[in-house]
Amino acid sequence: WTVSSVEPPQFIHVLTVLVPLWEMGCSGLTLNSVPLHQVGMYQRSGEGGAHHRQRRSWVWNQFFVLEEYMGDEPLYVGKLHSDVDKGEGQVKYVLNGEGATSIFTIDENTGDIHATKRLDREEQPYYTLRAQARHRHTNLPVEPESEFVIKVQDINDNEPKFLDGPYSARVPEMSPVGTSVVTVVATDADDPTYGNSARVVYSILEGQPYFSVEPRTGVVRTALPNMDREAREQYLLVIQAKDMVGQMGGLSGTTSVTVTLTDVNDNPPHFSRKSYQFSVPESLPVATTVAKVKALDSDVGPNAEMEYRIVDGDGLGLFRITPDPDTQEGLITLQKGLDFETKSSYTLRVEASNRNIDLRFLSLGPFSDTATVRLNVQNVDEPPVFSSPFSKMVISEEATVGTTIGTIFAHDPDSTNSPIRYSIDRNTDLERFFNIDATTGVISTAKPLDREVNAVHNITIFATEILDPLQVGKGVVLITVTDINDNAPVFAIEYETYLCESARPGQVIETISAVDRDQPQSGHRFFFSLTAEAAGNLNFTLRDNKDNTASVLTKRGGFQRRHQNVYRLPVLIMDNGSPALSSTNTLSIRVCDCDPDGIPQSCGSENSMLSAGLSTGALIAILACILTLLVLVLLIITMQRRRKKEPLILDEERDVRENIVRYDDEGGGEEDTEAFDMVALRNLNVVRESGSKNRRDVTPEVPTLFSSSRPPPDNGIFREFIWDRLKEADVDLSAPPYDSLQTYAFEGSGSAAESLSSLDSLSMDSEQNYDYLSDWGPRFKKLADLYGHSDGGNLFVS
């Protein structure tokens, strides 16, 4: 028995027919392809349990409810009933579990279950609930609790979606038909196990006839052959996915696929012109790019990379062509120098070919092309050219001034063949050791040469066209100075030789060597000997080791410092030059007190003094006396400096640093306001005009040194003098960094007060009374003591 195509809520009515048949032993009963025993299960009430089958009312463990129900009334789901319920109202039905009371309700009297809300299978496909029959008054269970499932029945309410879209794909151009491009995948949220709601088929809406899509797999393939990237590079496809196997009423979704054709080498290169012409100046240096040609190729990337070569022409060894890796141009470079007078034009045949060739497209033709390049050489006024740009010459250091070293030659390569004038770049011959004949190019010495000072001279020669002095060529001459034996050998180092008092006769005390600034070709060979005066000495002898060294040996023993602490041994050193040169070098030998290992411990004359009879106490006394004398000298010098710094007027009662009085005045005292304009001396930065200004302080009634009837002097000369002294003080680096008093000691020319000095007062009658100085206060006490009670004196004011 099979019942199919039954939609809820008709399940309940069908089950009321099928279940009794299944209970009677009928097998193979199915509902919508689901075995009946999976659709509904039942239990008998009573004590017998599962082993005692007794008739009872049905309690379903699985119900179905349709999703997205939009009706006004609650949707009927099913009915629960217990045979304990006799219809007397003593039993009530209770529902618990997922969605109980919120989504699903049960009539406690009848057991009818309803859904009160719209359900969505994609959010939750089923609900598990528990039902129980209880006594209405005692609320005690009359049946065991039974669990059942309410399954949400799917409807086609979700369209297919491309979760990975939109898509991008690449496929080589010229691909054969059926080449796979990309696979698109759409998913449907509906139940794939029920109906055709989730069965999707694919179709192409835009992109035909170039591409196609397989309906079931979603594989996008090429549909046309020979699609050319150079004609069209990109295609936009629209792919549709529709459920219900594409039938009417099915839902659909779309996505886009961007397909880009990638390049293959299917286009041969070609020159835009068959001949090119360029002008090339003859003065261009080697390795210069003289021309550029380019073969066009519709392909891109590695498929457009070029190789160029010169296949024919009259400049095969003179020019070279290489590809530019960035622009794929052919760069024609110069391999040798050009000369318009020799050849004025060149013709080359250049070939361009693809570096990477695709064998599949060889049938499209040869992947190369040729063009003719003509290069016209332009005449340029060139500078003179030396026959050899780098010349080497040799001269002996004994050459006299004016000796010829060698000759250089340069010529004008142009047809004018201008005469040449030669000169030396003095920046390369700063000391002017050489001269050159301006006409012949003969180089000669201008000063004596010394190989030991400078063995090689690198000079630059200028060759200038007389007809066009702007055209100057340069050549380099390397002059090597050869050696002569003009330096005598000397000691290699400054030797410090020590001789132990315990030295034995024949003992080697020093090994000496020599150096010579000359460099003979056969190498150095030095000969050592004692001078004639020292040959017969009884203390030391010299042995030539025949290897450019010599050994100094003692002739005797018993050397004592108290007898002689230093010996000087003259050594004669001769070289093997022609003529041979020699020099006498003095070796100082100091006698020392040595330890048992022969290490000097004390040398010199300090210990000989002790041995002569001076004790340690005597030496200490001598040093103490010397130190005492030094201290006395320093004290005397210090006192003299302090006396020079003491002022003529000193206030012993107060600190002089607190009593600096600024007078800025050379007049007859502090209170004199008549003889000079005090403003000019007080503030030099303000005074710019002549005039007078009275002082604001009280003037004591004292006689003045100057007559008030005389006119005041010109202030300009004072300002100029004081400004000069101020400038000197400002730039004086030895001036103190604090405020100081500057002494000007200047009275000016034609001073109205004449001299302020009283040096002549002894030779003239002085009627000046200085008693008033005692009224000026303690500041002038010293002057009052000097001049107040005497008949005359000298007053110095500065």
Side-chain angles (χ1 to χ4, degrees):
W1 292 69
T2 301
V3 181
S4 62
S5 301
V6 179
E7 298 290 340
Q10 286 81 14
F11 279 137
I12 303 303
H13 304 291
V14 175
L15 289 173
T16 57
V17 178
L18 294 179
V19 172
L21 295 176
W22 175 71
E23 185 181 21
M24 289 186 294
C26 297
S27 61
L29 298 177
T30 61
L31 175 60
N32 286 349
S33 301
V34 180
L36 186 61
H37 69 278
Q38 295 182 9
V39 177
M41 297 296 293
Y42 67 94
Q43 294 180 353
R44 293 298 303 248
S45 62
E47 298 295 332
H51 298 286
H52 302 279
R53 297 179 62 198
Q54 300 178 6
R55 295 186 59 83
R56 55 160 293 175
S57 59
W58 303 105
V59 180
W60 311 106
N61 72 341
Q62 184 167 338
F63 294 97
F64 295 89
V65 60
L66 193 65
E67 71 167 335
E68 304 294 347
Y69 174 72
M70 305 298 292
D72 296 333
E73 298 294 331
L75 179 62
Y76 179 75
V77 178
K79 184 180 181 64
L80 296 178
H81 185 71
S82 174
D83 54 3
V84 179
D85 185 4
K86 305 300 183 179
E88 299 175 351
Q90 299 298 320
V91 177
K92 68 175 181 178
Y93 298 94
V94 179
L95 189 65
N96 295 305
E98 292 180 303
T101 68
S102 61
I103 299 176
F104 303 101
T105 60
I106 187 170
D107 191 324
E108 64 178 10
N109 297 320
T110 63
D112 293 334
I113 300 175
H114 292 81
T116 60
K117 293 184 178 180
R118 181 173 63 85
L119 304 179
D120 188 352
R121 188 202 67 83
E122 287 71 37
E123 293 182 0
Q124 186 165 347
Y126 63 89
Y127 297 85
T128 302
L129 296 97
R130 299 182 304 278
Q132 191 175 40
R134 292 178 175 271
H135 194 278
R136 183 178 298 276
H137 300 294
T138 63
N139 202 31
L140 295 176
V142 297
E143 290 275 355
E145 189 177 55
S146 177
E147 185 178 88
F148 65 96
V149 175
I150 298 178
K151 186 176 181 181
V152 182
Q153 187 69 37
D154 183 50
I155 64 172
N156 188 21
D157 59 341
N158 291 280
E159 73 278 2
K161 294 182 179 180
F162 293 91
L163 301 181
D164 297 328
Y167 295 85
S168 295
R170 301 168 68 88
V171 64
E173 63 173 333
M174 312 299 288
S175 295
V177 176
T179 301
S180 176
V181 179
V182 68
T183 300
V184 296
V185 177
T187 58
D188 196 315
D190 292 326
D191 189 358
T193 64
Y194 176 74
N196 296 322
S197 300
R199 297 180 61 184
V200 177
V201 294
Y202 300 92
S203 61
I204 183 168
L205 301 182
E206 295 182 15
Q208 295 175 329
Y210 306 102
F211 298 93
S212 63
V213 63
E214 294 185 0
R216 294 187 178 276
T217 62
V219 177
V220 179
R221 300 181 182 275
T222 58
L224 287 180
N226 301 327
M227 285 192 292
D228 192 0
R229 185 199 66 83
E230 288 73 32
R232 182 177 178 182
E233 184 177 5
Q234 202 169 75
Y235 297 84
L236 181 63
L237 314 182
V238 177
I239 306 298
Q240 175 184 266
K242 190 174 184 180
D243 59 15
M244 297 300 292
V245 202
Q247 298 177 2
M248 292 186 62
L251 303 179
S252 64
T254 60
T255 188
S256 63
V257 180
T258 302
V259 181
T260 302
L261 298 183
T262 59
D263 186 59
V264 297
N265 193 5
D266 59 337
N267 294 279
H270 65 280
F271 286 102
S272 60
R273 294 186 297 173
K274 285 302 178 182
S275 63
Y276 298 85
Q277 188 167 339
F278 301 94
S279 296
V280 182
E282 65 172 339
S283 59
L284 289 180
V286 174
T288 302
T289 299
V290 298
K292 295 181 181 180
V293 295
K294 184 175 184 180
L296 304 179
D297 194 329
S298 300
D299 298 321
V300 294
N303 297 317
E305 292 181 357
M306 295 292 174
E307 288 183 345
Y308 296 90
R309 66 190 184 99
I310 300 176
V311 296
D312 195 8
D314 53 1
L316 294 179
L318 196 61
F319 300 96
R320 179 187 177 190
I321 186 169
T322 56
D324 187 321
D326 297 325
T327 63
Q328 298 304 317
E329 292 178 306
L331 306 179
I332 301 176
T333 56
L334 191 62
Q335 295 296 101
K336 297 179 181 179
L338 299 176
D339 188 5
F340 173 81
E341 288 74 20
T342 303
K343 189 174 179 61
S344 60
S345 66
Y346 297 88
T347 302
L348 309 174
R349 193 160 66 91
V350 177
E351 180 186 71
S353 60
N354 279 137
R355 179 175 298 174
N356 305 305
I357 298 178
D358 195 332
L359 300 179
R360 296 176 299 171
F361 306 104
L362 285 177
S363 59
L364 299 179
F367 281 77
S368 63
D369 194 14
T370 60
T372 302
V373 179
R374 182 179 178 85
L375 301 173
N376 296 320
V377 181
Q378 292 180 332
N379 188 23
V380 176
D381 190 6
E382 301 173 273
V385 178
F386 284 88
S387 56
S388 177
F390 181 80
S391 302
K392 292 184 178 180
M393 299 180 183
V394 178
I395 185 68
S396 174
E397 65 176 328
E398 65 177 346
T400 59
V401 175
T403 301
T404 299
I405 303 174
T407 304
I408 60 171
F409 177 74
H411 70 282
D412 183 6
D414 299 318
S415 57
T416 56
N417 196 18
S418 172
I420 304 300
R421 181 171 55 84
Y422 301 95
S423 61
I424 297 177
D425 182 4
R426 291 305 176 183
N427 291 325
T428 61
D429 185 25
L430 296 176
E431 298 185 26
R432 296 180 177 267
F433 284 109
F434 307 99
N435 287 328
I436 187 171
D437 190 286
T439 304
T440 63
V442 174
I443 300 176
S444 59
T445 58
K447 288 183 178 180
L449 302 176
D450 189 353
R451 189 204 62 83
E452 287 72 35
V453 176
N454 193 350
V456 177
H457 298 266
N458 190 342
I459 63 175
T460 300
I461 305 299
F462 291 145
T464 306
E465 292 184 11
I466 295 179
L467 299 181
D468 185 4
L470 297 178
Q471 298 299 326
V472 180
K474 293 183 180 180
V476 176
V477 177
L478 190 68
I479 301 176
T480 302
V481 182
T482 59
D483 186 44
I484 63 171
N485 190 24
D486 58 345
N487 290 277
V490 295
F491 277 157
I493 60 174
E494 189 73 24
Y495 291 98
E496 294 182 1
T497 304
Y498 299 98
L499 172 64
C500 295
E501 292 180 322
S502 60
R504 299 183 304 275
Q507 180 177 337
V508 176
I509 61 174
E510 186 67 88
T511 299
I512 60 176
S513 62
V515 293
D516 193 331
R517 296 178 62 190
D518 296 322
Q519 290 184 350
Q521 296 181 354
S522 59
H524 290 292
R525 176 68 179 93
F526 301 123
F527 304 94
F528 299 87
S529 63
L530 296 179
T531 61
E533 296 80 4
N537 78 90
L538 303 177
N539 298 314
F540 306 98
T541 185
L542 186 70
R543 182 181 65 200
D544 193 335
N545 297 326
K546 308 299 182 181
D547 60 354
N548 291 339
T549 64
S551 300
V552 180
L553 299 88
T554 59
K555 281 187 175 182
R556 65 178 180 87
F559 290 94
Q560 297 293 329
R561 284 177 295 164
R562 66 173 178 269
H563 296 155
Q564 184 174 350
N565 63 338
V566 177
Y567 293 87
R568 304 192 185 277
L569 186 66
V571 179
L572 180 66
I573 308 175
M574 180 181 297
D575 60 20
N576 61 336
S578 179
L581 298 179
S582 63
S583 67
T584 300
N585 300 263
T586 302
L587 180 67
S588 296
I589 304 173
R590 188 179 297 275
V591 182
C592 301
D593 181 22
C594 302
D595 60 11
D597 296 330
I599 306 300
Q601 298 299 314
S602 61
C603 304
S605 60
E606 63 277 5
N607 291 331
S608 63
M609 295 177 60
L610 294 176
S611 61
L614 289 178
S615 62
T616 304
L619 290 176
I620 295 176
I622 292 173
L623 293 176
C625 293
I626 295 174
L627 182 62
T628 304
L629 290 175
L630 291 175
V631 171
L632 291 175
V633 171
L634 291 176
L635 288 175
I636 293 173
I637 294 174
T638 303
M639 294 178 63
Q640 289 178 350
R641 289 183 177 178
R642 288 185 177 179
R643 288 180 179 178
K644 291 181 179 180
K645 293 181 179 180
E646 288 182 357
L648 295 177
I649 303 175
L650 180 63
D651 187 356
E652 298 178 353
E653 299 178 359
R654 302 179 63 182
D655 192 346
V656 70
R657 290 174 298 175
E658 300 177 357
N659 294 276
I660 297 178
V661 179
R662 179 177 178 181
Y663 293 99
D664 292 338
D665 187 5
E666 293 189 22
E670 183 182 12
E671 308 301 331
D672 183 15
T673 60
E674 301 295 330
F676 299 100
D677 183 7
M678 299 302 296
V679 177
L681 297 177
R682 276 206 187 104
N683 193 345
L684 298 177
N685 295 325
V686 177
V687 176
R688 291 295 180 267
E689 298 179 358
S690 60
S692 61
K693 187 175 182 180
N694 295 330
R695 296 174 60 145
R696 291 181 293 177
D697 51 318
V698 179
T699 303
E701 294 181 358
V702 295
T704 62
L705 296 176
F706 305 102
S707 174
S708 59
S709 61
R710 296 183 180 181
D714 182 17
N715 294 326
I717 187 171
F718 284 93
R719 286 198 300 270
E720 181 180 356
F721 170 74
I722 295 175
W723 274 114
D724 292 339
R725 294 301 301 270
L726 283 177
K727 291 178 182 178
E728 292 177 4
D730 290 339
V731 299
D732 187 5
L733 298 179
S734 62
Y738 44 81
D739 293 340
S740 61
L741 178 63
Q742 296 290 337
T743 302
Y744 298 103
F746 179 71
E747 298 177 2
S749 61
S751 173
E754 298 181 350
S755 176
L756 299 179
S757 174
S758 300
L759 293 177
D760 297 332
S761 59
L762 294 178
S763 60
M764 54 182 283
D765 296 335
S766 175
E767 298 178 357
Q768 180 68 41
N769 184 8
Y770 298 103
D771 292 340
Y772 62 88
L773 293 177
S774 58
D775 299 331
W776 284 15
R779 299 179 184 177
F780 297 90
K781 183 176 182 301
K782 180 65 67 177
L783 287 177
D785 294 341
L786 292 174
Y787 301 102
H789 303 285
S790 61
D791 297 336
N794 297 328
L795 177 63
F796 299 92
V797 180
S798 61

